[in-house]
Amino acid sequence: MQTIRVTCAHDCPCMCSLLAQVDNGRIIKVTGDPEQPFTAGFACGKVNRDAEVVHSPDRIQTPLRRTGPKGSGEFTPITWDAALDEIEARWKAIIAADGPLALLGYAYSSHQGQINRHLPNGLFHAMGTSRLQAGTVCDACADAAWEATLGPVGCVDPDTIAESDLILIWGCDVKAVNVHLWQKAEQRQKQGVKIVVIDPNRNRTAQSADWHIPIKVGTDAALAIGIVHILVRDNKCDEAYLAAKTVGFEQWKREVVGNFPPARVAEITGLTVADVERLAAMYGATKKSFLRIGWGMTRVALGGQAMRAVATLPAVTGAYGQRGGGAMSVTAGSMEFNFAPVRKPSGPAQTREVNHSLLGEALLTLRDPPLKALFISSNNPAVTCPDTRQVKQGLAREDLFTVVHDHALTDTARHADIVLPATTYLETSDFYRAYGTYYIQFAPAAVEPQGEAWSNMRLAQELAPRMGITDEIFRLTPEQILPKFFEGAKGAVAQIDPQSLLNHRAIKAAPEGEGQEFRTKSGKLEIYSEDLAAQGLPPMPIWEPDPQEVADAARWPLRLLTTPGYFQSHTAFTSNAFLRAREGEPHCVLHPNDAARRGLADGAKVRLFNDRGMVGLVLKISDETREGVALVPGQRPEGEAVSGTVNNLCSTRLTDIGAGATYQSTFLDVEAWENTPTRAAAE
Ligand SMILES: Nc1nc2c(c(=O)[nH]1)N[C@H]1C(S)=C(S)[C@@H](COP(=O)(O)OP(=O)(O)OC[C@H]3O[C@@H](n4cnc5c(=O)[nH]c(N)nc54)[C@H](O)[C@@H]3O)O[C@H]1N2
Ligand SMILES: Nc1nc2c(c(=O)[nH]1)N[C@H]1C(S)=C(S)[C@@H](COP(=O)(O)OP(=O)(O)OC[C@H]3O[C@@H](n4cnc5c(=O)[nH]c(N)nc54)[C@H](O)[C@@H]3O)O[C@H]1N2
Ligand code: SF4
Ligand SMILES: [Mo]
């Protein structure tokens, strides 16, 4: 038995260091590395099952070519040579006829290693194809709004939570999505520090908190501004910090904050005046407040304003200047490696861009040239993109040549012309930097690629020379690529010798200096943003009713709230029967009053529907959600639900800042499944 130090490559802020126990070429067990302080010796409930995922008999064993209609899942095995020959010939023919813009590489984040995540899109960069504006399904709005406020910079080091006096978790199910941060928060809670959760859903994190504030979806900016209103009224602002480190506070106070007295804020947010007052008093009582900002609340029409308003709070109390205080969103901005050799090896500086969230629209409407070839890797847009019905319509185009690289035959892969078997991260070697801690690590493969599977890196490197791409990066090993990330690196990570990573242990590289750095043009936190003003956006954080949401709410009685699964991460663990069973049947949660109004019983099959589409789920009745909300945890594939998938209901409308998806700006109704059999048949 061998123990191999590896890194968890799932899309997760913790980026755990793991120990893989390997016997005879098989992974027996994966556990958390006790030597990495943030991981602290435990992996999450999902990754405890990763050995089963690696050795699952359900993995795609060989390359496959489609034999039935698109979406039917009918394929025949072919050799790698035959698959690559066909891909090369088709891509070259499409480029000759329509130019490289007719191709789109659509690779995303399911392997967080910097080589396996980015080299596939690096290949398409070099080929000068249409380019993916990646991440708009996820954190694009949160990042852009953070950047408009603090600049392109990382956030507080999560380890400093150990020095905080108040933990405020704003719209994040930390127990599900960032469990190692939860462990640190819980340690603090045992020492008497209060944990407050602001979330429309009484999720696992809220249940373990000292106080849950059940805010209405999409009203966070109003609550944040309301807190500032009370801090101003009660002289609890850190005037010196605000004067030295921020731009626009006085104008914001005059023109915006004054319009958000507690009574109005309570009405907008669905909270009581007493709760708004109590929250502001708690937040104003200490500078050592650790604020964890989630991204779920930014996936609404005015999500950018929500992030900007909430991320301004620690400036108002001066928490940004204090150890143990500040806000956590994404650390990555302060780990300034040189990613260009992998992400942008060669190729034109600019080409046509396709928004990650708008795949269906791009496939159906782009002209001059239309998209003729699509390469999808490490993501499953037929389930996870908004308006999945449109995505599937696009994928069903007979004149579209689609290649999908995955280890599972996903809903997306079922629409491919060629499916290629991918390795899991435990079969790859890569360089990692976290986005929710300041750790970096270089990790080897724990086992050889299983069956005929290829890593993302290998696939990109084999396709490059076939497509006439000669960049050196497509010939190097992971060990040879590693030092490239450090050539021209800046800040704390520039001090690290890449050779020191070759022992496969994690190294921490947190930014130096006290307090939160700001990297805006002014060098200060920009409450007033000239850049946003120039784009015609509100220059100061504000809450306003969104006209489209108001109109939709008048037509539909319920608002959708989608949250991460606990035993699932989007669809990445779908193949594991144990985790599927633990997550339970795909379901919808309604408040008892909403269920009673519709005469629906717990456990009944229900249809969630709106103008865009419908999904059939099992009903759970619980007051964990607010009245007027239909909560759907996780994004589950077609075959698991009664019918369809939740993103059938969501539109391709984009957020105010950062062009992100707006899953939470979806309005709908729920009825008994058997009520409208004709529509069910039509769907
Ligand atoms: N309604 C709603 N929809 C959402 C969200 C929401 O909150 N609500 N959240 C959004 C968010 S935050 C995100 S990030 C997206 C995620 O959505 P996707 O990016 O589609 O991610 P997954 O569903 O995890 O799919 C990842 C796929 O990659 C495969 N894979 C895993 N490892 C590898 C590898 O090494 N190589 C290759 N080639 N394949 C691999 C897995 O088998 C799986 O099929 O979903 C978004 N969708
Ligand atoms: N177990 C598990 N872990 C994961 C994932 C997973 O799917 N499952 N996904 C991974 C990925 S890709 C990402 S991006 C990260 C982060 O994943 P995210 O999807 O960003 O998750 P959260 O930050 O927890 O955001 C969801 C929370 O926001 C709340 N929320 C939604 N709308 C609002 C609102 O208007 N206001 C407020 N206050 N709250 C709101 C929801 O109720 C929920 O509790 O997690 C990663 N880790
Ligand atoms: S908590 Fe996140 S990083 Fe850690 S093992 Fe689980 S998925 Fe991986
Ligand atoms: Mo995400």
Side-chain angles (χ1 to χ4, degrees):
M1 181 90 78
Q2 256 185 306
T3 300
I4 301 177
R5 287 209 137 72
V6 294
T7 313
C8 178
H10 291 291
D11 189 342
C12 172
C14 299
M15 204 194 82
C16 290
S17 297
L18 302 174
L19 301 178
Q21 288 175 31
V22 176
D23 192 25
N24 234 340
R26 281 183 79 83
I27 300 178
I28 307 302
K29 208 173 165 189
V30 177
T31 53
D33 185 345
E35 287 186 27
Q36 206 269 50
F38 200 77
T39 303
F42 75 97
C44 66
K46 308 181 294 294
V47 165
N48 284 334
R49 295 273 152 181
D50 262 347
E52 291 166 21
V53 174
V54 173
H55 300 294
S56 164
D58 298 334
R59 280 180 65 167
I60 300 167
Q61 303 293 331
T62 66
L64 304 170
R65 180 189 286 129
R66 177 167 70 91
T67 53
K70 290 202 175 196
S72 66
E74 291 164 33
F75 295 98
T76 187
I78 54 172
T79 64
W80 267 104
D81 277 345
L84 295 178
D85 286 348
E86 186 167 335
I87 293 168
E88 179 186 336
R90 291 293 298 269
W91 286 1
K92 283 183 171 162
I94 291 168
I95 291 170
D98 296 291
L101 295 184
L103 272 67
L104 175 68
Y106 192 89
Y108 195 44
S109 66
S110 210
H111 191 311
Q112 284 284 322
Q114 291 301 315
I115 304 171
N116 281 287
R117 172 165 180 182
H118 291 291
L119 203 57
N121 282 344
L123 170 66
F124 287 90
H125 193 284
M127 284 161 59
T129 66
S130 292
R131 221 161 257 169
L132 182 69
Q133 186 190 354
T136 60
V137 292
C138 175
D139 61 349
C141 172
D143 285 355
W146 175 273
E147 192 169 324
T149 315
L150 290 88
V153 65
C155 63
V156 70
D157 177 355
D159 284 337
T160 60
I161 200 171
E163 296 166 55
S164 61
D165 289 341
L166 173 69
I167 298 171
L168 192 54
I169 298 178
W170 201 310
C172 184
D173 191 0
V174 175
K175 254 183 134 167
V177 305
N178 196 177
V179 61
H180 293 78
L181 180 71
W182 175 257
Q183 193 228 12
K184 311 282 176 293
E186 204 175 31
Q187 280 172 6
R188 219 47 206 133
Q189 193 183 33
K190 285 186 188 133
Q191 293 158 357
V193 168
K194 295 278 180 272
I195 301 181
V196 180
V197 170
I198 301 170
D199 200 297
N201 174 22
R202 199 171 67 237
N203 56 29
R204 281 179 168 80
T205 311
Q207 285 168 33
S208 304
D210 296 280
W211 185 23
H212 171 220
I213 302 176
I215 191 170
K216 266 193 196 167
V217 178
T219 64
D220 301 276
L223 182 58
I225 300 168
I227 293 173
V228 178
H229 184 103
I230 294 168
L231 296 177
V232 169
R233 184 197 67 196
D234 296 350
N235 289 320
K236 289 279 173 48
C237 303
D238 185 335
E239 299 291 347
Y241 188 86
L242 282 163
K245 299 281 189 178
T246 69
V247 177
F249 183 63
E250 290 304 322
Q251 191 182 348
W252 193 41
K253 227 160 68 174
R254 272 195 320 273
E255 295 177 16
V256 179
V257 175
N259 302 329
F260 286 83
R264 179 168 179 235
V265 169
E267 198 187 319
I268 296 169
T269 57
L271 304 171
T272 63
V273 169
D275 280 351
V276 176
E277 289 279 358
R278 183 178 161 213
L279 176 63
M282 270 175 108
Y283 195 69
T286 174
K287 287 186 203 303
K288 291 190 177 192
S289 52
F290 185 100
L291 170 62
R292 171 66 162 95
I293 310 179
W295 308 332
M297 69 161 179
T298 68
R299 300 187 193 112
V300 291
L302 302 181
Q305 295 301 329
M307 171 56 96
R308 269 179 56 71
V310 174
T312 298
L313 286 176
V316 177
T317 61
Y320 274 134
Q322 173 72 52
R323 242 187 113 74
M328 177 180 167
S329 177
V330 177
T331 55
S334 292
M335 285 188 278
E336 297 164 89
F337 290 102
N338 177 14
F339 293 115
V342 170
R343 298 184 188 182
K344 303 174 181 176
S346 58
Q350 279 177 336
T351 73
R352 181 168 72 181
E353 287 210 347
V354 173
N355 183 312
H356 197 153
S357 299
L358 305 184
L359 177 63
E361 198 174 294
L363 291 174
L364 294 173
T365 63
L366 278 184
R367 297 285 170 264
D368 301 325
L371 291 174
K372 293 280 185 68
L374 176 66
F375 172 86
I376 299 180
S377 160
S378 313
N379 82 103
N380 188 7
V383 182
T384 56
C385 254
D387 203 345
T388 22
R389 299 211 313 175
Q390 197 188 34
V391 172
K392 275 177 277 189
Q393 249 181 311
L395 291 175
R397 261 178 49 199
E398 270 305 325
D399 62 336
L400 177 74
F401 176 64
T402 304
V403 178
V404 175
H405 184 218
D406 203 301
H407 50 81
L409 194 63
T410 61
D411 290 352
T412 304
R414 295 171 82 84
H415 289 81
D417 296 280
I418 302 272
V419 182
L420 301 171
T423 49
T424 67
Y425 70 99
L426 289 157
E427 300 147 67
T428 65
S429 174
D430 213 320
F431 168 65
Y432 297 85
R433 70 104 177 84
Y435 65 84
T437 74
Y438 280 102
Y439 282 93
I440 62 175
Q441 191 169 6
F442 183 77
V447 290
E448 290 295 310
Q450 302 294 293
E452 293 187 23
W454 284 12
S455 69
N456 301 357
M457 175 178 135
R458 177 166 181 199
L459 181 56
Q461 290 190 328
E462 301 264 355
L463 285 168
R466 282 175 175 263
M467 298 308 295
I469 302 300
T470 55
D471 300 282
E472 183 198 29
I473 203 82
F474 295 105
R475 293 187 296 278
L476 301 181
T477 62
E479 283 79 5
Q480 290 167 328
I481 295 175
L482 173 65
K484 306 247 171 236
F485 293 114
F486 291 82
E487 285 167 16
K490 292 192 223 129
V493 299
Q495 317 301 318
I496 294 170
D497 174 3
Q499 299 300 316
S500 66
L501 287 161
L502 292 175
N503 65 5
H504 304 151
R505 285 184 153 78
I507 295 180
K508 189 173 167 185
E512 294 132 3
E514 278 296 298
Q516 174 69 47
E517 187 191 349
F518 303 120
R519 284 202 198 137
T520 50
K521 271 190 211 144
S522 62
K524 299 180 180 186
L525 182 138
E526 296 191 347
I527 298 173
Y528 188 99
S529 163
E530 301 270 359
D531 285 352
L532 292 180
Q535 293 169 49
L537 291 165
M540 296 174 286
I542 187 149
W543 183 88
E544 310 172 288
D546 172 68
Q548 184 64 52
E549 285 185 1
V550 172
D552 287 349
R555 291 189 55 218
W556 299 98
L558 298 170
R559 182 167 193 162
L560 181 68
L561 177 61
T562 64
T563 61
Y566 184 81
F567 288 102
Q568 295 283 312
S569 182
H570 311 292
T571 67
F573 293 88
T574 297
S575 64
N576 188 271
F578 176 86
L579 292 173
R580 260 192 339 258
R582 290 303 304 271
E583 187 72 16
E585 273 181 295
H587 61 271
C588 156
V589 184
L590 282 186
H591 188 276
N593 295 347
D594 284 322
R597 217 167 274 135
R598 291 167 179 76
L600 298 169
D602 194 69
K605 289 181 184 172
V606 290
R607 181 193 329 279
L608 284 66
F609 64 96
N610 60 17
D611 292 333
R612 201 157 293 101
M614 70 98 191
V615 55
L617 299 169
V618 170
L619 179 66
K620 284 199 179 159
I621 300 177
S622 161
D623 66 359
E624 76 187 76
T625 68
R626 297 183 59 99
E627 245 181 290
V629 167
L631 163 67
V632 179
Q635 296 85 50
R636 311 287 291 276
E638 290 267 333
E640 289 183 31
V642 172
S643 173
T645 185
V646 65
N647 281 327
N648 288 351
L649 300 169
C650 299
S651 81
T652 50
R653 184 176 178 194
L654 299 176
T655 52
D656 53 347
I657 299 177
T662 56
Y663 306 104
Q664 255 74 254
S665 292
T666 304
F667 295 81
L668 70 150
D669 203 351
V670 177
E671 64 185 1
W673 175 250
E674 54 284 355
N675 262 9
T676 46
T678 38
R679 183 161 62 218
E683 301 273 354

